[in-house]
């Protein structure tokens, strides 16, 4: 590469952590991102569901046999900093590599929960339910992100990229989706501050659009709001709902083109990225 | 009053809950709001600091001897739904009144903490510190709000008004203020959803501007960010920092004029409200 040229994002020797990798969007991200990593890359897949993780792993290796895929079943909401440190370091040991061996250090915060969609926010009065929701969607994201950046500090690799999977719910209130809106708004702000504080990072909040996953089914089955239910049923029937494949293709392109400013949100439906 | 006329907000027989009432903006809100309540109103003041609450109470009664002021020292982050229910109901019993006796049911979510301003968000890796921060700034707000609205359900009083004290930090990332930004963004979204779900409520997120309180001193003393420190020192020196009196006057006017849409944020510096 000529000096001063921008390093392409894909096709590099990459260390990537992906949360929520056992199903849905996470699984499709794993397969398609993994396909684009250079040989010798290491992919650390996290989720609670061990069986789902192994199935994702098999598909990733089918798409790209030249990389190492480490699966660590983990309930992110229950881990602390030492646990996350160990998970990341163990994956490096298992692959017999060091942080400095990579061109890209990449973390994708995809795990998240819907929270309570059966009640309006004026009914959310259970402390324990809030604690569980916030532990997964805010705290674990922050703690994992911190440990990842300690393993890959500034200067350790040419490119450190952080992707936060967000939602339209981060910027627009939706009836009966209160906790989800709160969690996504909080997370998006967290990553905005991260980008502001560390200009050496490449931070993207990517909103995948309304994607056809188990989460959508949960919304249809449990939402208290008739309009929300109707909207999702209609998208499924009319096939205007976004597929995991479509949204994965989009985020791959967004990361390749890098037309966003670090910290910014980009939605599946946004043009020009 | 002629039928169909809009009920004025101030001067009514009001039941008001105010959190964080022992100092700073909360104390000034208590005095000036209390001054504007009709005789027979009940003011429930919450905060951890019992002595501070009593001092606030004395000042409120000096400004308006015709109202009942109930102080309940409470660490909001440690209460649950039954505790909040009891706190609200006890204040009604103490004043020998029922919810239906009031024209306005008013809650002001002013309590909040700065969180960790000594570290960047990439360093926030302590689960317990996050738990404490989120318990106060998100969970307790939701649970108290829920219990308040159960005591004052739709139709129980002509006007139910909810004020969330927010900050510029809810919509703009600031270095070294990550947790505060996250908490304020989350809370503002919570109240947007509340407004969306219940059009019978009057919901306002009020951003008081950079106010000269103990919180400002804490920022100056502890922030990791040189620019943030400098900005606050300069505001104090040049006296461009907002006083508690100024911002209280503004929010009183904003509530009286009601030119905002329910769920909206209004900042001290916003004109036309």
């Amino acid at each position: 590469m000529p000096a001063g040229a921008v390093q392409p994002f894909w096709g590099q020797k990459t260390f990537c952590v992906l949360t929520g990798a056992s199903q849905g969007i996470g699984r499709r991200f794993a397969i398609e991102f993994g396909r684009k990593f250079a040989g010798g890359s290491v992919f650390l897949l996290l989720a609670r569901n061990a069986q789902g993780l192994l199935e994702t792993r098999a598909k990733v290796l089918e798409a790209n046999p030249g990389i190492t895929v480490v699966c660590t079943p983990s309930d992110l909401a229950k881990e602390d900093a030492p646990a996350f440190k160990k998970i990341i370091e163990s994956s490096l040991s298992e692959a017999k590599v060091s942080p400095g061996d990579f061109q890209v250090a990449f973390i994708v915060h995809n795990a998240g929960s819907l929270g309570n969609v059966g009640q309006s926010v004026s009914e959310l009065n259970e402390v324990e339910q809030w604690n569980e929701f916030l532990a997964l969607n805010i705290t674990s994201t922050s703690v994992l992100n911190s440990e990842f950046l300690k393993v890959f500090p500034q200067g350790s690799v040419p490119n450190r990229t952080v992707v936060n999977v967000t939602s339209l719910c981060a910027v627009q209130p939706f009836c009966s989706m209160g906790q989800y809106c709160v969690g996504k708004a909080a997370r998006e702000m967290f990553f905005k501050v991260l980008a502001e504080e560390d200009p050496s990072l490449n931070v993207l909040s990517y909103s995948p659009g309304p994607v056809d996953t188990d989460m959508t089914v949960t919304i249809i089955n449990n939402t208290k709001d008739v309009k929300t239910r109707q909207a999702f049923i209609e998208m499924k029937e009319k096939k205007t709902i976004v597929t995991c494949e479509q949204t994965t293709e989009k985020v791959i392109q967004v990361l390749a083109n890098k037309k966003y400013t670090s910290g910014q949100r980009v939605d599946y439906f946004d043009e020009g990225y």
Side-chain angles (χ1 to χ4, degrees), chain A:
Chain A
M1 278 195 35
V6 177
Q7 186 93 355
F9 181 73
W10 301 107
Q12 306 297 304
K13 193 168 172 185
T14 301
F15 180 86
C16 180
V17 178
L18 169 65
T19 65
S22 65
Q23 60 179 342
I25 297 175
R27 174 171 287 174
R28 185 52 50 183
F29 278 4
I31 298 166
E32 300 306 332
F33 293 178
R35 198 192 298 280
K36 293 185 119 21
F37 293 157
S41 293
V42 175
F43 211 156
L44 172 56
L45 305 179
L46 304 176
R48 275 178 303 182
N49 180 344
Q51 185 56 38
L53 275 183
L54 288 177
E55 286 166 27
T56 301
R57 182 176 182 270
K59 287 175 191 286
V60 175
L61 288 173
E62 199 182 300
N64 188 347
I67 66 174
T68 301
V69 182
V70 178
C71 291
T72 308
S74 154
D75 184 346
L76 303 179
K78 301 208 168 99
E79 310 290 7
D80 59 3
F84 282 133
K85 181 174 196 280
K86 203 176 151 193
I87 288 171
I88 297 168
E89 289 182 345
S90 300
S91 71
L92 289 165
S93 315
E94 200 177 318
K96 299 189 175 59
V97 289
S98 306
D101 295 340
F102 297 94
Q103 286 152 322
V104 178
F106 183 25
I107 185 163
V108 184
H109 297 283
N110 167 64
S113 60
L114 257 183
N116 189 334
V117 294
Q119 292 187 301
S120 62
V121 294
S122 65
E123 295 170 301
L124 297 177
N125 69 347
E126 287 179 37
V127 170
E128 203 38 55
Q129 209 261 320
W130 267 114
N131 288 348
E132 277 174 32
F133 179 80
L134 299 171
L136 175 64
N137 294 283
I138 301 181
T139 306
S140 85
T141 307
S142 172
V143 178
L144 172 61
N145 194 66
S146 175
E147 292 309 306
F148 177 80
L149 294 178
K150 276 203 235 162
V151 174
F152 293 97
Q154 188 172 351
S156 60
V157 291
N159 180 328
R160 298 185 301 155
T161 294
V162 179
V163 170
N164 167 42
V165 176
T166 185
S167 163
L168 185 56
C169 290
V171 291
Q172 201 177 307
F174 284 91
C175 292
S176 189
M177 306 274 287
Q179 269 187 332
Y180 192 66
C181 290
V182 164
K184 290 300 190 190
R187 251 167 80 153
E188 210 166 294
M189 178 52 85
F190 178 89
F191 288 103
K192 275 191 198 162
V193 177
L194 180 69
E196 192 77 20
E197 288 178 340
D198 189 344
S200 77
L201 291 171
N202 169 21
V203 181
L204 169 68
S205 277
Y206 176 69
S207 172
V211 180
D212 197 2
T213 64
D214 288 355
M215 214 178 243
T216 321
V217 177
T218 307
I219 296 170
I220 290 172
N221 291 338
N222 299 302
T223 179
K224 206 189 170 179
D225 191 61
V226 180
K227 275 194 243 164
T228 302
R229 177 182 292 119
Q230 208 45 49
F232 276 98
I233 290 175
E234 226 176 274
M235 281 189 282
K236 274 176 100 87
E237 280 175 0
K238 295 192 179 159
K239 304 216 182 294
T240 52
I241 200 162
V242 178
T243 65
C244 287
E245 289 74 9
Q246 288 171 321
T247 205
T248 303
E249 208 174 294
K250 173 78 177 202
V251 72
I252 285 174
Q253 174 198 315
V254 172
L255 286 163
N257 297 344
K258 180 100 190 49
K259 289 187 179 163
Y260 59 88
T261 309
S262 185
Q264 192 190 319
R265 67 176 274 122
V266 176
D267 189 274
Y268 174 76
F269 295 108
D270 289 341
E271 286 173 20
Y273 293 93

